[in-house]
Amino acid sequence: MNRLKELRNMRSLTLKDISNETGIKKATFSNYELGQTEPTLETWLKLADYFDVDPEYLVGWSDIKKNAQ
């Protein structure tokens, strides 16, 4: 399972919740979760901010959710 789906499920959010709160269409987010399409850099950053995690964690480059800065 990718981290987008993992984070969405951890917060008990539906695709509709994500769509309403981020403006990303349900089908688009579903495609991200399924690995059928990749978000743009701008969208990765938006989603990292939304889920309050580092972008590197979100894309799978790091196992650290949030670096202390």
Side-chain angles (χ1 to χ4, degrees), residues 14-54:
T14 65
L15 290 173
K16 185 174 182 176
D17 294 333
I18 298 289
S19 179
N20 289 341
E21 296 174 22
T22 66
I24 298 169
K25 293 178 183 180
K26 292 186 300 185
T28 301
F29 194 84
S30 177
N31 285 339
Y32 296 159
E33 286 186 349
L34 296 170
Q36 294 176 341
T37 58
E38 285 284 322
T40 62
L41 177 57
E42 181 181 342
T43 302
W44 277 123
L45 295 173
K46 181 180 191 175
L47 289 169
D49 185 54
Y50 174 74
F51 286 113
D52 194 30
V53 297
D54 286 338

